Amino acid sequence: MQCRYTFGGDEHLFVEIDESMSLPAFFKSMAMTSRLQAMALPGLKEICPANASFQVRFDPDVIHPEVLLRQLQEIEEEVGKSASNELQTRIIEIPVFYDDPWTNETQLRFRERHQDPSSTDLAYAARINGYDSVAAFINAHASSPWFVSMVGFVAGLPFMYQMVERERQIQVPKYLRPRTDTPKLTVGHGGCFGCIYSVRGAGGYQMFGVTPAPIFDHAQRQPYLKDFMCFFRPGDIVKFKPINLPEYEEAVRLADEGQLSLRIRPVSFSMAAFEEDPAAYNRSLIEVLYGD
């Protein structure tokens, strides 16, 4: 895949990796933006990664647009030639209370906006993805890791892409019309992307459950939020862990006291090794997470 470069006004350069989202496109975007950031070019103001693209903001009085363009084209060539590109990132366990009472109550208030008003979001997602039960669908959702491909829409909200072969990826349409309410920390899914709603508000993704772990907090009360008020960053790998109501309530209690901890481990991700055997590579990632 070859990038397409487009200038946006005087201060922005948009780089489209591919027209459709894929793990190789995402990985190429991360490799390019990581190298660009490490160069610390004078005049470079901001790098904003997305699912299969990224945008760069720069000061044209400091770095000429054509100079920046040539630099990015050189980075693209280097990334394409390298057979050992690896992403230094982290793998994170996120507890999820699936089929919870709060998203279920919210669903009932907005069924007329859903494709199947007689079904729950989980039952609908299980059926159209070929699973014979909600339990089997939840297992599929939680058993494989997910990449955080971008963060946005509202502060701290991660868009996540399932790390399985394309034919095995969970896909569900968004609501026919968006809801005007979604519980805070809802784990949702729309199209091929999962997400966690960082705050309460409108939304159109199917709702599968809730996590007790705050992912956006300007007061930065949790140990894992000490570095920044938004927890997730592009390139993070997420492993969901199903929990029950007592476990959820205990985690909420710890979060309210500012004492909730998450299992987080550093990991080196290799796109080549993943493509060679996705299932085996995912097992190795999970072993890193639970290895001690």
Side-chain angles (χ1 to χ4, degrees):
M1 65 191 80
Q2 187 170 2
C3 295
R4 182 168 66 181
Y5 299 87
T6 309
F7 286 107
D10 296 329
E11 298 183 349
H12 296 89
L13 177 56
F14 178 70
V15 183
E16 183 181 45
I17 307 296
D18 202 353
E19 291 184 353
S20 61
M21 173 61 191
S22 66
L23 283 174
F26 165 73
F27 187 81
K28 181 175 179 178
S29 173
M30 288 301 303
M32 290 182 65
T33 53
S34 295
R35 293 196 183 195
L36 180 63
Q37 185 176 25
M39 295 176 70
L41 295 174
L44 190 63
K45 290 185 174 182
E46 187 176 9
I47 304 171
C48 183
N51 295 317
S53 61
F54 63 92
Q55 183 166 272
V56 178
R57 184 183 175 211
F58 60 96
D59 184 345
D61 293 328
V62 178
I63 182 169
H64 194 280
E66 293 297 331
V67 172
L68 177 60
L69 173 60
R70 287 195 297 272
Q71 186 65 71
L72 279 167
Q73 289 171 331
E74 290 176 6
I75 291 174
E76 179 185 5
E77 186 176 358
E78 292 171 6
V79 167
K81 289 180 178 178
S82 177
S84 60
N85 281 326
E86 293 191 350
L87 177 65
Q88 303 305 314
T89 184
R90 55 185 183 168
I91 185 168
I92 304 160
E93 180 188 79
I94 296 294
V96 180
F97 181 21
Y98 289 93
D99 203 11
D100 66 283
W102 304 284
T103 58
N104 285 336
E105 184 277 330
T106 303
Q107 292 173 35
L108 291 175
R109 290 190 277 121
F110 296 96
R111 289 330 279 170
E112 80 283 357
R113 306 184 184 207
H114 196 271
Q115 290 84 355
D116 186 354
S118 64
S119 177
T120 65
D121 289 10
L122 272 170
Y124 172 71
R127 185 177 73 253
I128 68 171
N129 281 278
Y131 293 94
D132 58 9
S133 68
V134 166
F137 177 80
I138 290 173
N139 180 67
H141 188 270
S143 61
S144 61
W146 298 68
F147 251 125
V148 175
S149 56
M150 63 177 286
V151 179
F153 180 66
V154 294
L157 184 150
F159 289 85
M160 295 173 287
Y161 192 76
Q162 194 176 22
M163 294 171 59
V164 295
E165 299 88 340
R166 186 180 289 271
E167 60 271 15
R168 291 183 54 215
Q169 286 175 349
I170 292 170
Q171 296 193 51
V172 291
K174 295 187 288 186
Y175 274 45
L176 298 174
R177 288 186 293 129
R179 300 177 303 273
T180 56
D181 189 24
T182 306
K184 180 181 178 180
L185 298 177
T186 289
V187 175
H189 199 99
C192 67
F193 289 105
C195 81
I196 301 174
Y197 286 81
S198 53
V199 296
R200 182 179 181 180
Y205 278 20
Q206 308 283 337
M207 297 180 289
F208 296 162
V210 291
T211 177
I215 59 171
F216 167 70
D217 180 9
H218 62 85
Q220 299 176 241
R221 291 177 299 166
Q222 310 305 323
Y224 57 86
L225 289 171
K226 294 302 181 185
D227 292 336
F228 193 54
M229 67 179 70
C230 296
F231 177 54
F232 288 110
R233 50 186 184 245
D236 281 342
I237 299 173
V238 172
K239 172 66 175 62
F240 293 119
K241 176 188 177 183
I243 59 174
N244 56 29
L245 179 57
E247 292 170 322
Y248 174 82
E249 291 176 336
E250 173 61 14
V252 168
R253 183 189 68 79
L254 291 171
D256 289 343
E257 297 175 357
Q259 298 179 6
L260 182 64
S261 295
L262 296 178
R263 183 181 291 268
I264 305 170
R265 299 290 184 270
V267 68
S268 178
F269 177 79
S270 167
M271 190 69 228
F274 173 83
E275 290 185 306
E276 183 176 344
D277 190 338
Y281 195 74
N282 282 346
R283 287 194 296 269
S284 71
L285 290 173
I286 294 171
E287 287 174 2
V288 171
L289 183 62
Y290 298 113
D292 54 10

